Short mmCIF file of all heavy atoms in Angstrom, two decimals:
data_model
loop_
_atom_site.label_atom_id
_atom_site.label_comp_id
_atom_site.label_asym_id
_atom_site.label_seq_id
_atom_site.Cartn_x
_atom_site.Cartn_y
_atom_site.Cartn_z
N LYS B 321 -24.34 -37.08 -31.94
CA LYS B 321 -24.73 -36.65 -33.27
C LYS B 321 -24.25 -35.21 -33.52
O LYS B 321 -25.02 -34.27 -33.34
CB LYS B 321 -26.26 -36.76 -33.42
CG LYS B 321 -26.77 -38.18 -33.41
CD LYS B 321 -28.27 -38.21 -33.57
CE LYS B 321 -28.82 -39.63 -33.55
NZ LYS B 321 -30.28 -39.67 -33.73
N GLY B 322 -23.00 -35.06 -33.85
CA GLY B 322 -22.42 -33.73 -34.04
C GLY B 322 -21.25 -33.51 -33.17
O GLY B 322 -21.09 -34.14 -32.10
N PRO B 323 -20.33 -32.64 -33.60
CA PRO B 323 -19.08 -32.44 -32.86
C PRO B 323 -19.29 -31.61 -31.57
O PRO B 323 -20.16 -30.78 -31.45
CB PRO B 323 -18.24 -31.64 -33.88
CG PRO B 323 -19.22 -30.91 -34.74
CD PRO B 323 -20.38 -31.80 -34.84
N LEU B 324 -18.43 -31.89 -30.61
CA LEU B 324 -18.30 -31.10 -29.40
C LEU B 324 -16.99 -30.34 -29.44
O LEU B 324 -16.03 -30.76 -30.09
CB LEU B 324 -18.37 -32.04 -28.15
CG LEU B 324 -19.70 -32.68 -27.84
CD1 LEU B 324 -19.56 -33.74 -26.76
CD2 LEU B 324 -20.72 -31.62 -27.43
N PRO B 325 -16.95 -29.20 -28.76
CA PRO B 325 -17.98 -28.57 -27.94
C PRO B 325 -19.09 -27.93 -28.78
O PRO B 325 -18.83 -27.53 -29.90
CB PRO B 325 -17.21 -27.52 -27.14
CG PRO B 325 -16.09 -27.14 -28.06
CD PRO B 325 -15.69 -28.42 -28.74
N LEU B 326 -20.23 -27.77 -28.16
CA LEU B 326 -21.29 -26.95 -28.77
C LEU B 326 -21.09 -25.52 -28.31
O LEU B 326 -20.90 -25.29 -27.12
CB LEU B 326 -22.65 -27.46 -28.36
CG LEU B 326 -23.85 -26.64 -28.87
CD1 LEU B 326 -23.99 -26.77 -30.39
CD2 LEU B 326 -25.18 -27.11 -28.22
N ILE B 327 -21.10 -24.60 -29.25
CA ILE B 327 -20.90 -23.19 -28.94
C ILE B 327 -22.22 -22.48 -29.10
O ILE B 327 -22.88 -22.57 -30.13
CB ILE B 327 -19.84 -22.54 -29.84
CG1 ILE B 327 -18.53 -23.31 -29.76
CG2 ILE B 327 -19.62 -21.07 -29.44
CD1 ILE B 327 -17.49 -22.80 -30.73
N THR B 328 -22.66 -21.77 -28.04
CA THR B 328 -23.96 -21.13 -28.03
C THR B 328 -23.80 -19.64 -27.82
O THR B 328 -22.91 -19.18 -27.12
CB THR B 328 -24.88 -21.71 -26.94
OG1 THR B 328 -26.08 -20.95 -26.88
CG2 THR B 328 -24.20 -21.64 -25.54
N THR B 329 -24.70 -18.89 -28.40
CA THR B 329 -24.75 -17.44 -28.21
C THR B 329 -26.00 -16.90 -28.85
O THR B 329 -26.65 -17.61 -29.62
CB THR B 329 -23.52 -16.72 -28.82
OG1 THR B 329 -23.53 -15.35 -28.46
CG2 THR B 329 -23.57 -16.80 -30.33
N CYS B 330 -26.34 -15.63 -28.56
CA CYS B 330 -27.38 -14.95 -29.35
C CYS B 330 -26.80 -13.68 -29.92
O CYS B 330 -27.54 -12.72 -30.18
CB CYS B 330 -28.61 -14.66 -28.46
SG CYS B 330 -28.23 -13.80 -26.92
N CYS B 331 -25.49 -13.67 -30.15
CA CYS B 331 -24.78 -12.47 -30.51
C CYS B 331 -24.32 -12.47 -31.97
O CYS B 331 -23.42 -13.22 -32.32
CB CYS B 331 -23.55 -12.33 -29.57
SG CYS B 331 -22.49 -10.93 -29.99
N PRO B 332 -24.89 -11.63 -32.81
CA PRO B 332 -24.51 -11.61 -34.21
C PRO B 332 -23.09 -11.10 -34.47
O PRO B 332 -22.47 -11.44 -35.49
CB PRO B 332 -25.55 -10.68 -34.89
CG PRO B 332 -26.12 -9.87 -33.78
CD PRO B 332 -26.04 -10.73 -32.56
N SER B 333 -22.57 -10.28 -33.53
CA SER B 333 -21.17 -9.85 -33.69
C SER B 333 -20.21 -11.00 -33.55
O SER B 333 -19.22 -11.13 -34.27
CB SER B 333 -20.82 -8.75 -32.68
OG SER B 333 -21.47 -7.55 -32.99
N TRP B 334 -20.51 -11.92 -32.60
CA TRP B 334 -19.66 -13.13 -32.45
C TRP B 334 -19.80 -14.00 -33.72
O TRP B 334 -18.82 -14.54 -34.19
CB TRP B 334 -20.00 -13.88 -31.22
CG TRP B 334 -19.73 -15.35 -31.30
CD1 TRP B 334 -20.58 -16.38 -31.29
CD2 TRP B 334 -18.42 -15.96 -31.49
NE1 TRP B 334 -19.94 -17.57 -31.48
CE2 TRP B 334 -18.63 -17.35 -31.59
CE3 TRP B 334 -17.13 -15.46 -31.61
CZ2 TRP B 334 -17.57 -18.25 -31.78
CZ3 TRP B 334 -16.09 -16.36 -31.84
CH2 TRP B 334 -16.31 -17.75 -31.89
N VAL B 335 -21.03 -14.14 -34.22
CA VAL B 335 -21.23 -14.92 -35.45
C VAL B 335 -20.37 -14.36 -36.58
O VAL B 335 -19.68 -15.10 -37.29
CB VAL B 335 -22.71 -14.93 -35.85
CG1 VAL B 335 -22.91 -15.56 -37.22
CG2 VAL B 335 -23.56 -15.67 -34.81
N ASN B 336 -20.41 -13.06 -36.76
CA ASN B 336 -19.58 -12.40 -37.78
C ASN B 336 -18.14 -12.61 -37.54
O ASN B 336 -17.34 -12.92 -38.46
CB ASN B 336 -19.92 -10.89 -37.78
CG ASN B 336 -19.50 -10.19 -39.05
OD1 ASN B 336 -18.68 -10.68 -39.79
ND2 ASN B 336 -20.09 -9.01 -39.29
N PHE B 337 -17.70 -12.49 -36.27
CA PHE B 337 -16.31 -12.72 -35.89
C PHE B 337 -15.87 -14.14 -36.21
O PHE B 337 -14.78 -14.40 -36.76
CB PHE B 337 -16.18 -12.46 -34.39
CG PHE B 337 -14.77 -12.46 -33.85
CD1 PHE B 337 -13.94 -11.38 -34.01
CD2 PHE B 337 -14.28 -13.56 -33.16
CE1 PHE B 337 -12.65 -11.36 -33.51
CE2 PHE B 337 -13.01 -13.57 -32.63
CZ PHE B 337 -12.17 -12.48 -32.84
N MET B 338 -16.74 -15.15 -35.87
CA MET B 338 -16.43 -16.51 -36.13
C MET B 338 -16.29 -16.78 -37.64
O MET B 338 -15.34 -17.43 -38.10
CB MET B 338 -17.55 -17.43 -35.57
CG MET B 338 -17.34 -18.89 -35.92
SD MET B 338 -18.83 -19.86 -35.58
CE MET B 338 -20.00 -19.18 -36.72
N GLU B 339 -17.23 -16.24 -38.43
CA GLU B 339 -17.19 -16.49 -39.88
C GLU B 339 -15.95 -15.86 -40.52
O GLU B 339 -15.45 -16.38 -41.54
CB GLU B 339 -18.45 -15.97 -40.51
CG GLU B 339 -19.70 -16.77 -40.13
CD GLU B 339 -20.94 -16.21 -40.79
OE1 GLU B 339 -21.07 -14.99 -40.95
OE2 GLU B 339 -21.85 -17.01 -41.13
N LYS B 340 -15.47 -14.76 -39.93
CA LYS B 340 -14.29 -14.09 -40.49
C LYS B 340 -12.99 -14.64 -39.98
O LYS B 340 -12.03 -14.83 -40.72
CB LYS B 340 -14.38 -12.59 -40.23
CG LYS B 340 -15.45 -11.87 -41.02
CD LYS B 340 -15.51 -10.39 -40.64
CE LYS B 340 -16.52 -9.65 -41.48
NZ LYS B 340 -16.67 -8.21 -41.07
N PHE B 341 -12.92 -14.86 -38.65
CA PHE B 341 -11.64 -15.20 -38.03
C PHE B 341 -11.48 -16.68 -37.67
O PHE B 341 -10.41 -17.19 -37.55
CB PHE B 341 -11.46 -14.38 -36.75
CG PHE B 341 -11.26 -12.90 -36.96
CD1 PHE B 341 -12.34 -12.05 -37.05
CD2 PHE B 341 -9.99 -12.37 -37.09
CE1 PHE B 341 -12.17 -10.67 -37.24
CE2 PHE B 341 -9.78 -11.02 -37.30
CZ PHE B 341 -10.90 -10.17 -37.38
N HIS B 342 -12.62 -17.36 -37.46
CA HIS B 342 -12.55 -18.75 -36.99
C HIS B 342 -13.54 -19.64 -37.77
O HIS B 342 -14.37 -20.34 -37.15
CB HIS B 342 -12.88 -18.84 -35.51
CG HIS B 342 -11.97 -18.02 -34.65
ND1 HIS B 342 -10.67 -18.40 -34.44
CD2 HIS B 342 -12.17 -16.89 -33.94
CE1 HIS B 342 -10.12 -17.50 -33.62
NE2 HIS B 342 -10.99 -16.58 -33.35
N PRO B 343 -13.49 -19.67 -39.08
CA PRO B 343 -14.47 -20.48 -39.84
C PRO B 343 -14.36 -21.97 -39.56
O PRO B 343 -15.33 -22.71 -39.79
CB PRO B 343 -14.13 -20.15 -41.31
CG PRO B 343 -12.73 -19.64 -41.28
CD PRO B 343 -12.58 -18.92 -39.97
N ASP B 344 -13.19 -22.43 -39.06
CA ASP B 344 -13.08 -23.85 -38.74
C ASP B 344 -13.96 -24.26 -37.57
O ASP B 344 -14.17 -25.44 -37.31
CB ASP B 344 -11.61 -24.19 -38.42
CG ASP B 344 -11.07 -23.39 -37.26
OD1 ASP B 344 -11.23 -22.16 -37.25
OD2 ASP B 344 -10.44 -23.98 -36.33
N MET B 345 -14.49 -23.25 -36.82
CA MET B 345 -15.36 -23.53 -35.66
C MET B 345 -16.84 -23.63 -36.07
O MET B 345 -17.69 -23.92 -35.25
CB MET B 345 -15.21 -22.45 -34.59
CG MET B 345 -13.89 -22.48 -33.87
SD MET B 345 -13.77 -23.93 -32.79
CE MET B 345 -12.35 -24.75 -33.50
N ILE B 346 -17.15 -23.36 -37.33
CA ILE B 346 -18.55 -23.35 -37.77
C ILE B 346 -19.27 -24.70 -37.42
O ILE B 346 -20.41 -24.64 -36.96
CB ILE B 346 -18.65 -23.04 -39.28
CG1 ILE B 346 -18.36 -21.53 -39.48
CG2 ILE B 346 -20.03 -23.37 -39.85
CD1 ILE B 346 -18.33 -21.11 -40.95
N PRO B 347 -18.69 -25.88 -37.62
CA PRO B 347 -19.39 -27.09 -37.26
C PRO B 347 -19.77 -27.21 -35.79
O PRO B 347 -20.65 -27.96 -35.43
CB PRO B 347 -18.41 -28.19 -37.67
CG PRO B 347 -17.52 -27.57 -38.69
CD PRO B 347 -17.39 -26.17 -38.26
N HIS B 348 -19.09 -26.45 -34.94
CA HIS B 348 -19.36 -26.52 -33.50
C HIS B 348 -20.47 -25.55 -33.08
O HIS B 348 -20.91 -25.63 -31.93
CB HIS B 348 -18.06 -26.19 -32.70
CG HIS B 348 -17.00 -27.18 -32.88
ND1 HIS B 348 -16.85 -28.30 -32.09
CD2 HIS B 348 -15.97 -27.24 -33.81
CE1 HIS B 348 -15.81 -29.03 -32.50
NE2 HIS B 348 -15.27 -28.40 -33.51
N PHE B 349 -20.86 -24.71 -33.96
CA PHE B 349 -21.76 -23.62 -33.55
C PHE B 349 -23.22 -24.04 -33.60
O PHE B 349 -23.66 -24.67 -34.58
CB PHE B 349 -21.55 -22.44 -34.49
CG PHE B 349 -21.92 -21.13 -33.85
CD1 PHE B 349 -21.15 -20.57 -32.87
CD2 PHE B 349 -23.06 -20.45 -34.25
CE1 PHE B 349 -21.49 -19.38 -32.26
CE2 PHE B 349 -23.42 -19.26 -33.65
CZ PHE B 349 -22.62 -18.72 -32.66
N SER B 350 -23.94 -23.70 -32.57
CA SER B 350 -25.40 -23.98 -32.56
C SER B 350 -26.06 -23.26 -33.73
O SER B 350 -25.81 -22.10 -33.99
CB SER B 350 -26.00 -23.47 -31.24
OG SER B 350 -27.42 -23.50 -31.35
N SER B 351 -26.93 -24.00 -34.44
CA SER B 351 -27.61 -23.38 -35.58
C SER B 351 -28.85 -22.64 -35.18
O SER B 351 -29.53 -22.06 -36.03
CB SER B 351 -27.93 -24.44 -36.62
OG SER B 351 -28.85 -25.37 -36.07
N ALA B 352 -29.20 -22.68 -33.87
CA ALA B 352 -30.42 -21.97 -33.42
C ALA B 352 -30.28 -20.45 -33.66
O ALA B 352 -29.23 -19.87 -33.36
CB ALA B 352 -30.67 -22.24 -31.96
N LYS B 353 -31.31 -19.85 -34.18
CA LYS B 353 -31.31 -18.42 -34.38
C LYS B 353 -31.30 -17.68 -33.04
O LYS B 353 -31.58 -18.28 -32.00
CB LYS B 353 -32.56 -17.99 -35.16
CG LYS B 353 -32.57 -18.36 -36.59
CD LYS B 353 -33.88 -17.84 -37.24
CE LYS B 353 -33.99 -18.25 -38.69
NZ LYS B 353 -35.26 -17.82 -39.28
N SER B 354 -31.01 -16.39 -33.07
CA SER B 354 -31.09 -15.60 -31.86
C SER B 354 -32.55 -15.40 -31.49
O SER B 354 -33.48 -15.52 -32.33
CB SER B 354 -30.41 -14.26 -32.05
OG SER B 354 -31.11 -13.49 -33.00
N PRO B 355 -32.86 -15.14 -30.21
CA PRO B 355 -34.25 -15.06 -29.76
C PRO B 355 -35.12 -14.06 -30.55
O PRO B 355 -36.27 -14.39 -30.84
CB PRO B 355 -34.08 -14.63 -28.29
CG PRO B 355 -32.80 -15.22 -27.88
CD PRO B 355 -31.92 -15.07 -29.08
N HIS B 356 -34.61 -12.87 -30.85
CA HIS B 356 -35.48 -11.90 -31.52
C HIS B 356 -35.83 -12.33 -32.91
O HIS B 356 -36.89 -12.02 -33.45
CB HIS B 356 -34.89 -10.51 -31.47
CG HIS B 356 -34.00 -10.15 -32.61
ND1 HIS B 356 -34.28 -9.13 -33.47
CD2 HIS B 356 -32.83 -10.64 -33.04
CE1 HIS B 356 -33.34 -9.03 -34.37
NE2 HIS B 356 -32.43 -9.93 -34.12
N GLU B 357 -34.93 -13.09 -33.56
CA GLU B 357 -35.25 -13.60 -34.92
C GLU B 357 -36.34 -14.70 -34.84
O GLU B 357 -37.16 -14.80 -35.72
CB GLU B 357 -34.01 -14.14 -35.57
CG GLU B 357 -33.08 -13.04 -36.15
CD GLU B 357 -33.66 -12.32 -37.34
OE1 GLU B 357 -34.66 -12.82 -37.91
OE2 GLU B 357 -33.12 -11.26 -37.69
N MET B 358 -36.29 -15.47 -33.77
CA MET B 358 -37.34 -16.51 -33.60
C MET B 358 -38.69 -15.85 -33.37
O MET B 358 -39.71 -16.26 -33.97
CB MET B 358 -36.99 -17.40 -32.41
CG MET B 358 -35.84 -18.33 -32.65
SD MET B 358 -35.73 -19.62 -31.38
CE MET B 358 -34.31 -20.57 -31.94
N VAL B 359 -38.74 -14.81 -32.56
CA VAL B 359 -39.98 -14.11 -32.35
C VAL B 359 -40.44 -13.45 -33.66
O VAL B 359 -41.63 -13.44 -33.98
CB VAL B 359 -39.86 -13.02 -31.25
CG1 VAL B 359 -41.11 -12.14 -31.16
CG2 VAL B 359 -39.63 -13.68 -29.90
N GLY B 360 -39.49 -12.93 -34.44
CA GLY B 360 -39.85 -12.30 -35.70
C GLY B 360 -40.51 -13.25 -36.67
O GLY B 360 -41.55 -12.95 -37.27
N VAL B 361 -39.90 -14.44 -36.83
CA VAL B 361 -40.48 -15.38 -37.80
C VAL B 361 -41.80 -15.91 -37.31
O VAL B 361 -42.72 -16.13 -38.14
CB VAL B 361 -39.47 -16.54 -38.07
CG1 VAL B 361 -39.35 -17.49 -36.92
CG2 VAL B 361 -39.84 -17.28 -39.33
N LEU B 362 -41.96 -16.07 -36.02
CA LEU B 362 -43.25 -16.56 -35.49
C LEU B 362 -44.36 -15.48 -35.57
O LEU B 362 -45.52 -15.81 -35.72
CB LEU B 362 -43.07 -17.04 -34.04
CG LEU B 362 -42.23 -18.32 -33.91
CD1 LEU B 362 -41.90 -18.59 -32.45
CD2 LEU B 362 -42.98 -19.51 -34.53
N ALA B 363 -43.94 -14.22 -35.47
CA ALA B 363 -44.93 -13.12 -35.60
C ALA B 363 -45.53 -13.15 -36.98
O ALA B 363 -46.71 -12.82 -37.16
CB ALA B 363 -44.28 -11.81 -35.32
N LYS B 364 -44.76 -13.54 -38.01
CA LYS B 364 -45.22 -13.49 -39.37
C LYS B 364 -45.81 -14.85 -39.84
O LYS B 364 -46.21 -14.96 -41.01
CB LYS B 364 -44.13 -13.04 -40.30
CG LYS B 364 -43.76 -11.54 -40.02
CD LYS B 364 -42.92 -10.93 -41.08
CE LYS B 364 -42.67 -9.45 -40.78
NZ LYS B 364 -41.88 -8.80 -41.80
N THR B 365 -45.74 -15.84 -38.95
CA THR B 365 -46.31 -17.16 -39.29
C THR B 365 -47.41 -17.51 -38.27
O THR B 365 -48.57 -17.34 -38.49
CB THR B 365 -45.22 -18.23 -39.35
OG1 THR B 365 -44.48 -18.24 -38.13
CG2 THR B 365 -44.27 -17.99 -40.52
N TYR B 366 -46.97 -17.99 -37.13
CA TYR B 366 -47.91 -18.47 -36.07
C TYR B 366 -48.87 -17.37 -35.63
O TYR B 366 -50.08 -17.56 -35.65
CB TYR B 366 -47.02 -18.93 -34.92
CG TYR B 366 -47.83 -19.39 -33.70
CD1 TYR B 366 -48.73 -20.44 -33.74
CD2 TYR B 366 -47.57 -18.82 -32.44
CE1 TYR B 366 -49.42 -20.87 -32.60
CE2 TYR B 366 -48.25 -19.24 -31.30
CZ TYR B 366 -49.15 -20.27 -31.41
OH TYR B 366 -49.82 -20.74 -30.30
N TYR B 367 -48.35 -16.20 -35.30
CA TYR B 367 -49.20 -15.11 -34.86
C TYR B 367 -50.12 -14.59 -35.96
O TYR B 367 -51.32 -14.42 -35.76
CB TYR B 367 -48.33 -13.97 -34.32
CG TYR B 367 -49.11 -12.68 -33.98
CD1 TYR B 367 -49.92 -12.62 -32.85
CD2 TYR B 367 -49.02 -11.55 -34.78
CE1 TYR B 367 -50.61 -11.42 -32.55
CE2 TYR B 367 -49.70 -10.41 -34.51
CZ TYR B 367 -50.51 -10.34 -33.38
OH TYR B 367 -51.19 -9.18 -33.09
N ALA B 368 -49.55 -14.41 -37.15
CA ALA B 368 -50.35 -13.89 -38.27
C ALA B 368 -51.44 -14.86 -38.63
O ALA B 368 -52.61 -14.46 -38.86
CB ALA B 368 -49.42 -13.66 -39.47
N GLN B 369 -51.17 -16.18 -38.64
CA GLN B 369 -52.21 -17.18 -38.94
C GLN B 369 -53.30 -17.21 -37.87
O GLN B 369 -54.46 -17.28 -38.18
CB GLN B 369 -51.55 -18.57 -39.07
CG GLN B 369 -50.67 -18.70 -40.30
CD GLN B 369 -49.89 -20.01 -40.32
OE1 GLN B 369 -50.34 -20.99 -39.69
NE2 GLN B 369 -48.77 -20.06 -41.00
#
Side-chain angles (χ1 to χ4, degrees):
K321 294 181 178 179
L324 289 170
L326 178 66
I327 305 175
T328 174
T329 188
C330 51
C331 176
S333 288
W334 153 245
V335 171
N336 198 340
F337 188 79
M338 174 193 65
E339 291 179 325
K340 289 177 176 176
F341 292 88
H342 302 288
D344 58 312
M345 289 290 119
I346 287 176
H348 294 271
F349 205 72
S350 168
S351 64
K353 290 181 181 177
S354 66
H356 89 117
E357 284 291 346
M358 289 193 179
V359 173
V361 73
L362 290 170
K364 293 194 176 181
T365 54
Y366 178 59
Y367 172 73
Q369 291 172 25

